[in-house]
Amino acid sequence: MSEQPESPGLVKRAHLGVLIAMQLVMALELLFLVRDARWMHVFLVVSVMAATLVPVVARKRLPVVIPSELQLLAILFIFATLFLGEVRDYYEWLWWWDLALHGTAGLLLGLLGFLIVYILNENELVDLRMRPSFIALFAFFFGLGIGTLWEIFEFAMDQLFGFNMQKPMLGDPSGLTDTMWDLIVDAIGAAVMSFIGWRTMKEQRKGRIDNWVRRFIQRNPQLFYRGK
């Protein structure tokens, strides 16, 4: 299966276009937040703007070249979670927003965990061979583990800075029900992605994954070749 050279360039242009549009929207929102002296939200918006810009502005200084596909998914998720969810109060307007984002996070983190082990498993330079079932299991617990760390982060922000990231849900004002449903949806998303990865390896339908792995190795030879 041959790679199409125009595809990475198209994704990169889409990544830059989405990033510019998001930065403009957040910059406009920042002006209103400063005007209204909502300093906690000002800090949050500035943090989101910085987090989405760093991989582009400092890409030559980063130890790893992050593929544009992953950067695009990451900035969309950060924008939807922190900016739309927290600053624009989508969590309050749309009851399903939090669950949808956590389900998406489970899928993305499961994919990330799968790719991490897949790269090691399929790379001839690494003397490591793992069964598809183990790779799927690792991907599942990787996604669920990162989701758990996020819930700890939400709890810390609420306790230390007075945020309301753990929302009242189903009559429970403590946020515990919200946290548990977030973890359940994280687990479902990670399980779905782990199952898809397992079926992909079992049935040897690996063309697209192989292309991602090959491009990642080509862009980051220092991780795979000594002396680079």
Side-chain angles (χ1 to χ4, degrees):
M1 179 177 176
S2 60
E3 288 187 76
Q4 298 180 355
E6 68 275 13
S7 179
L10 180 62
V11 174
K12 188 174 182 179
R13 289 194 295 272
H15 167 220
L16 292 176
V18 170
L19 180 60
I20 291 172
M22 287 183 177
Q23 292 292 325
L24 291 175
V25 170
M26 289 188 288
L28 181 61
E29 179 70 18
L30 191 62
L31 295 177
F32 291 108
L33 292 174
V34 172
R35 182 197 65 184
D36 298 336
R38 298 173 62 186
W39 303 117
M40 191 62 68
H41 282 86
V42 167
F43 171 76
L44 188 58
V45 172
V46 171
S47 299
V48 173
M49 294 176 72
T52 54
L53 274 176
V54 165
V56 175
V57 176
R59 62 182 181 274
K60 293 183 178 180
R61 297 184 179 181
L62 294 176
V64 175
V65 178
I66 304 173
S68 294
E69 297 93 333
L70 295 182
Q71 291 189 48
L72 181 58
L73 290 174
I75 64 172
L76 286 173
F77 184 77
I78 292 173
F79 184 80
T81 302
L82 297 179
F83 181 74
L84 294 180
E86 295 293 338
V87 177
R88 302 300 299 167
D89 292 327
Y90 273 41
Y91 290 130
E92 301 292 340
W93 295 353
L94 303 172
W95 66 267
W96 48 266
W97 188 258
D98 189 33
L99 296 178
L101 288 179
H102 276 275
T104 303
L107 290 171
L108 294 178
L109 292 171
L111 174 62
L112 179 59
F114 176 80
L115 288 176
I116 289 173
V117 185
Y118 186 90
I119 288 174
L120 297 176
N121 200 53
E122 297 298 319
N123 182 18
E124 296 179 356
L125 299 174
V126 180
D127 187 15
L128 186 64
R129 290 292 178 268
M130 289 173 284
R131 301 173 69 89
S133 56
F134 178 83
I135 296 177
L137 190 64
F138 174 86
F140 171 76
F141 283 113
F142 180 87
L144 186 57
I146 299 298
T148 302
L149 290 177
W150 176 259
E151 294 303 318
I152 294 174
F153 170 77
E154 287 189 347
F155 175 78
M157 291 297 101
D158 290 351
Q159 296 297 315
L160 297 176
F161 302 107
F163 280 20
N164 188 31
M165 300 184 74
Q166 293 180 304
K167 304 293 191 297
M169 186 178 186
L170 300 178
D172 178 12
S174 69
L176 176 61
T177 300
D178 174 61
T179 297
M180 292 310 301
W181 271 111
D182 288 347
L183 291 175
I184 290 170
V185 175
D186 284 340
I188 293 173
V192 169
M193 185 55 65
S194 299
F195 177 76
I196 293 173
W198 175 77
R199 285 292 300 272
T200 299
M201 294 192 69
K202 291 289 286 186
E203 298 179 9
Q204 297 183 346
R205 296 178 304 184
K206 304 186 295 184
R208 182 172 297 275
I209 297 177
D210 284 340
N211 288 340
W212 283 10
V213 172
R214 190 180 307 111
R215 285 165 50 198
F216 184 82
I217 294 174
Q218 290 173 351
R219 295 174 183 178
N220 300 279
Q222 74 280 4
L223 300 179
F224 300 93
Y225 299 94
R226 294 176 181 174
K228 293 289 185 179

